Amino acid sequence: MKPAYTCQSCLNSLRGSFSIGRTSRKLHPIPNGRWIYTSMKSVEAIGHSKNNRNTHQRRPISFKFQGQSARNEPVQIPTPGGLESTPLPEVTRRPLLQPNNLFHPFSVSPSPEIRRRAAFIKQHAYCPHPSHRPTRAPTGPGDPEARKAAAGSSLPPVHVRFECPDCGIPVSCSEEHWADDYESHLEICDTLREINEDDHDLRSGRFFPEFEYPGPQIEEALVNMTNWDTYLYTREFEALNELRSMRHATRLLTYPVTIGSVLHELSPYSIRQGGRLTVEGLKSLSALRYTLHPPRSGAGLDIKGLRPNPPPVRIFILGARAESSLPREAWVQLTYLFHRVAFHLIFIGPESMANRDSELPLPERTPGNPFGAIVEARISHQLKISTFVEYYHTLHKAGLFYPYDPYFDCFMLFHPGLGHPASSHEWEETIPQLLETKVPIICTGYTEWDMDRDYKWIEDKVGGEVDLLMEPGENRFRSLRWDLNDLEPSDITCGNWGIWAFRGKRYETTRKDTA
């Protein structure tokens, strides 16, 4: 039986004199991991042009060595000059986590990042069992710290060390306390397991089609803003057939789509019964929608189609944190909801550069850029983004954005924590200045309790100077994914769960005849 190859030593002895009459093509590796086709004649020219420019003419040879026949067999071709001494890069592929292998306890996770997160939780989070003394003042009736105060706890606070076998997250200081308080933990155990699997899926190394965003579509193709399903379908997203994929996709899209769902003329929030929009809200949003949905003006790409363009719609995102580091492709989705309109997103806040270390250091403060703003003007022809690492009240006093126009301006506050004890003092100077502008202010909250706390804080502080534009309630475009608080694992939140809006009160001037 004849083997199907020619030994390497035989080919090495023939490389100097072997020739072939026809052109053959063969795949060759190159250093970047791809393969190229190379003809026999071109390879011979490359391989011998450097060292054998004046060699004698090679003669054809028919050969048989050690019972091996080279007739009708593939020929191994030497690597072209310059590549033979370049080793191929070693590609290290991490093992992929399959969909049926996503659950792992945090402390023994295959992801180093999640193992570090487990260590952080065990170092900072406290056991929620009622027998421990409280570590802080409770923030609401559902706060686990409220149970400790009511039970008259005697044990000192202890950090969590025991991982629940059902959710894989450190939730208790010992197995005994976990078993004793299992009924309370059971209320969130399934959600914690869902968070566990989602975090491992994001680090599984698989391809994520849910992060492939569609481009612009024709103006006549209307977008249905009823809920996530109708929006994704009418915007022609790739079909998301898994709930986990929906959770990943909505976690990013909730920020731009929440803004668009309120400002769009096909908004699910209306003045009808149960629509949550008030009369004052209809007045403010009608002014913005007049700008966001302009009539056709006959503009075109030629000289005859030149028309004056209105200024961009400015959306001030105050207290920006995670939303400022979103992929810009996600923010571009906002512009696709409004045709022929430009947007200028302005992120303002001391944490507005979070997760954006690659853009540091900040620009120097110059007379032309007194606050060191980072300007991204080439994202698309409809979108411009500016970032200010500064408090809004400082910029407002400087008159940097003056004047404000209710037809072109809007404020957006994602999870501002207006009524939170740790952050409410930062808003006491800002809120009165926002009310002076008389433009809409849209707020969201992590949970229903968080949203109601912010709403009550506004009523207590400036209730007499506020017009309610939208009643507090659940956001139709909230994130479908739940998030874990590493400082307190029993505290789970949802991005943009609730939404409401308000504005500085307007006083209408009326005339009265005194006869």
Side-chain angles (χ1 to χ4, degrees), residues 371-408:
F371 294 97
I374 297 177
V375 181
E376 304 170 59
R378 297 185 179 181
I379 299 175
S380 75
H381 68 283
Q382 286 184 277
L383 180 63
K384 175 184 176 182
I385 294 181
S386 300
T387 304
F388 293 84
V389 187
E390 188 60 82
Y391 286 103
Y392 172 77
H393 53 257
T394 304
L395 305 176
H396 183 87
K397 293 177 181 178
L400 187 62
F401 305 115
Y402 188 84
Y404 297 91
D405 192 333
Y407 283 82
F408 290 93

Side-chain angles (χ1 to χ4, degrees), residues 2-73:
K2 295 182 179 180
Y5 63 90
T6 303
C7 70
Q8 188 67 30
S9 60
C10 298
L11 286 178
N12 289 335
S13 64
L14 296 174
R15 279 176 179 170
S17 58
F18 181 78
S19 64
I20 192 167
R22 61 185 178 86
T23 301
S24 175
R25 299 178 67 84
K26 189 173 180 64
L27 279 171
H28 290 278
I30 58 177
N32 61 3
R34 296 179 297 175
W35 292 76
I36 58 171
Y37 279 102
T38 309
S39 66
M40 286 286 297
K41 292 181 178 179
S42 61
V43 169
E44 286 185 345
I46 296 174
H48 300 285
S49 60
K50 184 178 294 185
N51 301 322
N52 274 339
R53 295 186 181 273
N54 298 319
T55 58
H56 61 278
Q57 184 177 3
R58 294 182 298 273
R59 55 187 176 86
I61 296 178
S62 61
F63 50 90
K64 288 185 180 180
F65 294 95
Q66 301 176 357
Q68 298 181 2
S69 175
R71 184 173 50 191
N72 299 327
E73 296 176 358

Side-chain angles (χ1 to χ4, degrees), residues 8 23 32 56 91 97 142 210 223 232 235 249 259 297 316 341 358 391 436 446 453-454:
Q8 188 67 30
T23 301
N32 61 3
H56 61 278
V91 180
L97 295 177
E210 53 266 41
V223 179
L232 296 175
R235 273 290 291 127
I259 298 176
S297 59
F316 300 90
V341 176
S358 60
Y391 286 103
E436 292 177 2
Y446 285 116
R453 180 178 57 188
D454 292 347

Side-chain angles (χ1 to χ4, degrees), residues 201-202 206-214 237-238 240 244-245 247-253 327 329-330 481:
D201 183 54
L202 288 174
R206 70 174 179 89
F207 176 72
F208 293 88
E210 53 266 41
F211 298 142
E212 294 286 325
Y213 298 141
F237 277 76
E238 292 291 336
L240 303 178
R244 182 170 290 110
S245 298
R247 292 195 292 268
H248 292 333
T250 57
R251 185 65 182 90
L252 299 184
L253 291 174
E329 293 81 2
R481 183 188 173 197

Side-chain angles (χ1 to χ4, degrees), residues 19-287:
S19 64
I20 192 167
R22 61 185 178 86
T23 301
S24 175
R25 299 178 67 84
K26 189 173 180 64
L27 279 171
H28 290 278
I30 58 177
N32 61 3
R34 296 179 297 175
W35 292 76
I36 58 171
Y37 279 102
T38 309
S39 66
M40 286 286 297
K41 292 181 178 179
S42 61
V43 169
E44 286 185 345
I46 296 174
H48 300 285
S49 60
K50 184 178 294 185
N51 301 322
N52 274 339
R53 295 186 181 273
N54 298 319
T55 58
H56 61 278
Q57 184 177 3
R58 294 182 298 273
R59 55 187 176 86
I61 296 178
S62 61
F63 50 90
K64 288 185 180 180
F65 294 95
Q66 301 176 357
Q68 298 181 2
S69 175
R71 184 173 50 191
N72 299 327
E73 296 176 358
V75 179
Q76 297 185 10
I77 306 174
T79 307
L83 295 181
E84 53 188 354
S85 61
T86 305
L88 292 177
E90 295 182 2
V91 180
T92 58
R93 295 183 178 273
R94 56 180 176 175
L96 299 180
L97 295 177
Q98 300 301 324
N100 59 353
N101 187 32
L102 294 178
F103 174 74
H104 298 274
F106 268 26
S107 61
V108 293
S109 169
S111 170
E113 183 178 352
I114 294 182
R115 293 198 299 270
R116 288 193 296 267
R117 187 179 184 186
F120 180 88
I121 294 175
K122 292 180 179 181
Q123 186 178 0
H124 294 86
Y126 289 95
C127 178
H129 194 274
S131 62
H132 295 285
R133 289 195 293 268
T135 58
R136 55 175 175 79
T139 58
D143 194 336
E145 296 296 315
R147 298 190 306 151
K148 298 179 180 180
S153 309
S154 57
L155 296 178
V158 180
H159 291 292
V160 296
R161 292 191 298 267
F162 178 76
E163 289 181 336
C164 172
D166 298 324
C167 63
I169 295 176
V171 293
S172 186
C173 65
S174 63
E175 185 176 1
E176 291 75 14
H177 277 187
W178 168 78
D180 185 56
D181 200 32
Y182 183 70
E183 184 177 355
S184 176
H185 172 70
L186 197 61
E187 299 176 358
I188 60 174
C189 187
D190 291 340
T191 305
L192 291 178
R193 183 185 179 98
E194 183 180 284
I195 295 173
N196 184 323
E197 295 179 353
D198 288 349
D199 286 344
H200 280 96
D201 183 54
L202 288 174
R203 295 160 178 84
S204 65
R206 70 174 179 89
F207 176 72
F208 293 88
E210 53 266 41
F211 298 142
E212 294 286 325
Y213 298 141
Q217 61 189 35
I218 60 174
E219 190 171 352
E220 289 73 18
L222 299 180
V223 179
N224 191 326
M225 305 290 291
T226 303
N227 51 44
W228 276 119
D229 292 329
T230 58
Y231 167 78
L232 296 175
Y233 178 76
T234 54
R235 273 290 291 127
E236 300 180 355
F237 277 76
E238 292 291 336
L240 303 178
N241 300 321
E242 300 290 338
L243 292 178
R244 182 170 290 110
S245 298
M246 280 287 291
R247 292 195 292 268
H248 292 333
T250 57
R251 185 65 182 90
L252 299 184
L253 291 174
T254 180
Y255 293 98
V257 180
T258 293
I259 298 176
S261 66
V262 177
L263 303 182
H264 202 275
E265 63 180 356
L266 301 179
S267 169
Y269 311 108
S270 64
I271 200 174
R272 299 174 183 173
Q273 185 176 3
R276 295 170 47 193
L277 198 65
T278 64
V279 175
E280 294 298 325
L282 182 63
K283 293 179 181 179
S284 291
L285 294 182
S286 295

